[in-house]
Structure formats: C-alpha cells, structure tokens
Amino acid sequence: MTKVETYKGRQQSRVYGARLIIHRREDANAENYFFRARVAGHRQYIRRSCETNDSAKAMVFAENAYEDLLVRKKSGFLLTEQTVEKFFADWLERKKHNFTTSRAKWKKSVFERYMSAYFGKQDISKLTKKFCDGYWAHRLNFWNTKQGLARIKLNEKRIDAKTQSSHNVATVPSFATLKSEASLINEFLKEATDEGRIARTIKISAQDAMSKSERGDGYRDTFTENEWKVLTANLFSFAKCKGKFANKKIHSLHRFQREQLHTFVLLASSTGMRVGEIKQLIWSDLDIRTDNDGEKHLVVQVRAATSKIKRARSVVAHSSHIIGVLDNFKTISKHNGTNDLVFYNERKNGDISFVNLIVAFKKFLKRCDYEKRNDGLRLSHDNKARTLYSLRHFYAVQRLKQNVDVYQLATNMGTGVNQIRNHYGRHISGDAFIKELTKYQSKTGEKTKSAAIKTLVEMVASGVLNEEIALEVLRKVASREEL
C-alpha cells in the first residue's frame, strides 16, 4: 500500500510545478515553512527548512535553493546534506589506515576539542571561505568560552589523567599550533571538494589568525651545549634520587617513572626520533650491532605502522652510552618481553598504555636551575618553551655541527633535506659548516689529474721512464689534490 503524504499549508511552485512545494510540518509545532524538491537523476526528495513563516518569502527561498540544486546536479556535485561533524567522522574512519594510530587520535581530539563547536552542525556543502576564516576568532577565544571553561573544570575530575590541573593548557595557542590546525581543516575540506560536496576549494591560513609580530619564527627552541650539560647532570640525579632530587620516602613506582623519563630523554637526544615513534617502540625494535673495530652501536627499527610518514627505517644512535642506559632500564622494567612496550603507563587494573611524558618533562625542566631563571630550563633566554620535541631539534643541530652529511641525517631522522635545511641550518655557524657548504670539486682539475696519471701509467707500461716528464706529471697531480 502506497503511503500518501499530506502537508499542512502546501503550496506548489508556479515555476517548477509539483517538482517543488513548500509546506509546514505536521509532526512539529514549528510555524516555519519547509520545501520538498524533486531533482531529475536524484532518487530521493530533498527536504530543507525555508527558515521563515512567511509563505511568500518561503517560496522565494525554495525556488532559489532549487535553482542551486539544479546547478549542483549538472556540475556533478552531491545534493544531500551532511554536517561537517558527520563528514569528518566518516572521512577519518575511511582514511585512518593512512595515519599512525597516534596521528589519527590527534586529528580526532583536535577536531572534537576546538573545531566541532564551530563547524560541527554546519552543512558542509554550504561552507564559505568567510565562514571558515571565522574559525580563528573562535579558536583564539576558545578558553574563555563556556566550552573552554568547562573543559578546564573537567580536568579536576579526570581519572588517570596526565594532570588534574589546568596549568598545562595554552590559553593562547602558538603559531605552530594554529598552522597544524589549519592543515587539518584544509585536509578534510579538500576531501569534501574532491567528493563533490563543496563547489570550490576552500583553504584557510594561520597567518590570518595572528599578526606577523605575534607569530615569532615558528620554530621550537632547543638547548645550548651548556644548557644540555646542566640538563643531563640534573637528569641523572633525578633518576637516581640524588642531590636536590633525593627523597627517602619516594614510592617505587615514582622511582621507575624517573628512570623512564631519564631513558626516554637520552634515547630521543641520541637518535633524533619523533616522540610518537619512541612511545610505540617495543623491545624487539632495538638491535645492538658490533662493527669491524669491535664498537657497539644501537640500531632502532622504526616500523612503518608507527612512523609519521608511514615508511620503515633504521635509526642509528650517535652514542654507545645509550646502550648501557637501556640495559639498566630493561632490568627494572616489569614488561621487558620481546613484544612489550619499552616505555609504558600501567593503570591500576593492570592495563598497559602508551606513556605520556610531556608534563613530567616540563616539570623536570623547571627544577633545573640555570642562570637564575624563574622556570629553569623550561624556557630559553628568548622566553620560548622547550618540550620533548626540543630533543629532536637538539639532536639535529648537534649532528650538523659535527659535519654529518645532511642527506644521511635526513634519512636517519625520517624527514627531507629541505626540512633539515629550513629548520636546523639556521643554528649552524662556523668555518667547518661553511667549508662543508662551499665544497666544490673542479671537473677541469679532475680531468687534468686523470690525464697526468694516465701518462705515468703509460710510461711504466712502456718501460721507458723519463724522470723530467714524470716529475712534471707528479707536480700536476699534487697541485690538483685540493680541488
């Protein structure tokens, strides 16, 4: 039996006839009109609110919307409505195999925390550049909104959270943070365009969120060599509960957590690995190899599944000292099986999860006295914050200062040569680096040297050695050695 639809206040379009009608809904007390449209080639009716209770205005709205639907259909775009919230969730589910677990989790949490309140209920096909740019005003004021204030209060009630305080909340986001968020928004908006939900590509830029003077240089800070000496001395005392870090009443779990932070920091600074890559290491990823001179080297296997760029690679630690540190840590770890996480957090019920040492590292840095700074090593002399990611930067800078080949360094760190040059090259100065960058081998010099050597070989082969010619040839070879 066919269902007969009845409508309250039904009116048919004079232009489009029965293909477009406006009406009031029988199942709701709302007075506003809705329209129902039939578009050729689309299987279902399209129904939307006219957002007015005036029938004449509702019909104008409906006819304009219908014309837009016809244009969209002709252009190959989708006609059905979908909220940004629903589109994002579907997109992330479809694409999650392209991201590491931690990266997918980051995208989801950032959208839910900051973006959902602004974009979530919007019809993705109706997004405009102007509306999307308005996100920055929402984002910069987020922690003063109801949602932001509620989240700060919620921290106190969280169980097993990395902190119950709100001191870790950056109420004014950094330019680097905003760039990351812009990248995420542009990523799913591009997908919406490719799917035919948005007619034109929309891109937003974090540069519209802050004036140039507010942005800074966009780089995370690292440590000077003197600061690093102070840091490592304090880190050892912290791990071994010595000096100002001594505490006879310290719990065994806290002792382990101190050793874990100690090992994590030294491994990060010795390999230049990303924080997310280190967090997902298992013991079988670590390999100790001995070279022909009998020296031991730590080689870490970064699996494709745990790499930000989804490519496996082998990472060589620059110092053999880390081998002893890891051996010691393994003996005190309760989970040191082949497939156990190297670094972990164990809940009260015994569940194991990835460790998060962000807050612990910040607190430790504040306790490292340096030049009478209020926050110790937490902030640089330029007042820039240091984080766990600063260890990756420290590794890169130190390797460049030791004249490590830039290509080899990029390979070891799982990044590109341009990234190395743009982010770390600015830290390097001195004659050694200048010489490395200006190294040049003359093709003419090489040809002259080859010709000279060929002359010597021919003289030896003939058995006739002209001393005068031989000496001249050797002078030419010697003069080209530095080319």
Side-chain angles (χ1 to χ4, degrees), residues 22-62:
I22 62 170
H23 65 91
R24 288 193 173 102
R25 289 176 57 176
E26 291 279 7
D27 61 341
N29 294 323
E31 291 297 313
N32 281 354
Y33 279 90
F34 291 77
F35 75 76
R36 186 202 73 183
R38 166 71 75 183
V39 176
H42 189 73
R43 289 185 299 173
Q44 299 174 327
Y45 284 125
I46 297 166
R47 308 170 193 270
R48 292 178 191 170
S49 171
C50 296
E51 301 174 4
T52 180
N53 61 4
D54 184 296
S55 61
K57 291 180 180 178
M59 183 58 75
V60 172
F61 179 94

Side-chain angles (χ1 to χ4, degrees), residues 17-168:
R19 288 176 292 167
L20 178 66
I21 66 167
I22 62 170
H23 65 91
R24 288 193 173 102
R25 289 176 57 176
E26 291 279 7
D27 61 341
N29 294 323
E31 291 297 313
N32 281 354
Y33 279 90
F34 291 77
F35 75 76
R36 186 202 73 183
R38 166 71 75 183
V39 176
H42 189 73
R43 289 185 299 173
Q44 299 174 327
Y45 284 125
I46 297 166
R47 308 170 193 270
R48 292 178 191 170
S49 171
C50 296
E51 301 174 4
T52 180
N53 61 4
D54 184 296
S55 61
K57 291 180 180 178
M59 183 58 75
V60 172
F61 179 94
E63 288 178 347
N64 288 337
Y66 188 68
E67 288 167 5
D68 181 60
L69 289 169
L70 294 176
V71 171
R72 288 180 64 81
K73 179 64 179 176
K74 188 175 181 180
S75 302
F77 297 114
L78 297 177
L79 305 184
T80 53
E81 283 187 321
Q82 189 172 41
T83 63
V84 175
E85 193 172 56
K86 179 69 166 61
F87 176 83
F88 181 86
D90 292 347
W91 166 74
L92 192 60
E93 181 64 27
R94 289 195 313 272
K95 298 289 185 178
K96 66 181 182 182
H97 64 279
N98 291 332
F99 313 126
T100 61
T101 303
S102 59
R103 195 67 181 167
K105 184 179 179 181
W106 175 83
K107 290 175 186 287
K108 184 174 185 290
S109 65
V110 168
F111 182 86
E112 290 177 349
R113 172 173 287 189
Y114 300 118
M115 301 172 187
S116 182
Y118 186 77
F119 288 106
K121 302 305 179 186
Q122 298 294 319
D123 178 359
I124 197 162
S125 66
K126 293 181 180 178
L127 291 181
T128 62
K129 177 71 165 62
K130 184 178 180 180
F131 179 83
C132 292
D133 283 337
Y135 171 73
W136 298 126
H138 159 83
R139 177 63 177 91
L140 293 173
N141 193 48
F142 177 80
W143 293 107
N144 294 319
T145 64
K146 273 188 177 181
Q147 298 102 317
L149 293 172
R151 281 189 177 276
I152 290 175
K153 288 182 180 179
L154 187 64
N155 261 356
E156 299 171 4
K157 301 178 181 179
R158 294 168 66 200
I159 300 172
D160 287 337
K162 60 187 178 184
T163 175
Q164 269 71 46
S165 74
S166 301
H167 303 306
N168 193 43

Side-chain angles (χ1 to χ4, degrees), residues 217-373:
D217 58 16
Y219 298 109
R220 286 191 178 93
D221 212 331
T222 185
F223 303 96
T224 66
E225 290 181 28
N226 284 335
E227 287 174 334
W228 184 249
K229 288 176 183 177
V230 172
L231 188 155
T232 50
N234 276 270
L235 189 61
F236 179 80
S237 297
F238 177 75
K240 306 305 176 186
C241 301
K242 293 184 176 182
K244 69 179 182 182
F245 299 104
N247 187 344
K248 292 181 180 179
K249 296 181 180 180
I250 192 169
H251 192 274
S252 59
L253 173 61
H254 293 158
R255 282 183 178 274
F256 172 77
Q257 289 171 339
R258 287 187 174 200
E259 290 282 3
Q260 182 163 242
L261 180 65
H262 173 244
T263 308
F264 193 104
V265 169
L266 293 186
L267 181 62
S269 62
S270 184
T271 61
M273 291 170 62
R274 297 180 178 89
V275 173
E277 294 170 343
I278 299 176
K279 284 168 63 175
Q280 298 177 80
L281 285 176
I282 57 178
W283 286 107
S284 59
D285 292 330
L286 308 181
D287 186 21
I288 310 300
R289 300 180 189 176
T290 306
D291 62 21
N292 294 332
D293 297 325
E295 273 196 60
K296 290 185 177 181
H297 302 279
L298 171 67
V299 180
V300 183
Q301 302 300 327
V302 177
R303 289 165 279 131
T306 65
S307 168
K308 178 183 175 181
I309 57 175
K310 304 294 283 183
R311 284 201 299 269
R313 73 181 192 280
S314 295
V315 178
V316 181
H318 81 84
S319 170
S320 59
H321 172 68
I322 190 61
I323 297 174
V325 174
L326 283 164
D327 285 343
N328 174 67
F329 180 65
K330 191 172 185 179
T331 61
I332 65 173
S333 174
K334 292 194 298 182
H335 302 278
N336 49 26
T338 302
N339 294 316
D340 286 336
L341 288 171
V342 176
F343 304 103
Y344 62 89
N345 176 52
E346 185 170 4
R347 297 181 183 275
K348 292 177 182 178
N349 62 4
D351 288 346
I352 301 298
S353 61
F354 297 128
V355 72
N356 192 323
L357 297 173
I358 293 174
V359 174
F361 187 57
K362 289 178 181 178
K363 287 182 176 179
F364 164 73
L365 290 178
K366 286 183 177 181
R367 296 183 68 183
C368 296
D369 297 328
Y370 191 79
E371 294 182 349
K372 298 181 180 180
R373 295 179 190 169

Side-chain angles (χ1 to χ4, degrees), residues 188-236:
F188 74 76
L189 287 181
K190 182 181 183 302
E191 184 73 11
T193 305
D194 292 345
E195 284 189 16
R197 293 193 176 275
I198 299 177
R200 294 186 182 88
T201 301
I202 298 174
K203 290 190 74 173
I204 68 171
S205 171
Q207 292 181 359
D208 296 326
M210 288 182 170
S211 65
K212 198 168 185 178
S213 61
E214 294 175 304
R215 295 176 205 162
D217 58 16
Y219 298 109
R220 286 191 178 93
D221 212 331
T222 185
F223 303 96
T224 66
E225 290 181 28
N226 284 335
E227 287 174 334
W228 184 249
K229 288 176 183 177
V230 172
L231 188 155
T232 50
N234 276 270
L235 189 61
F236 179 80

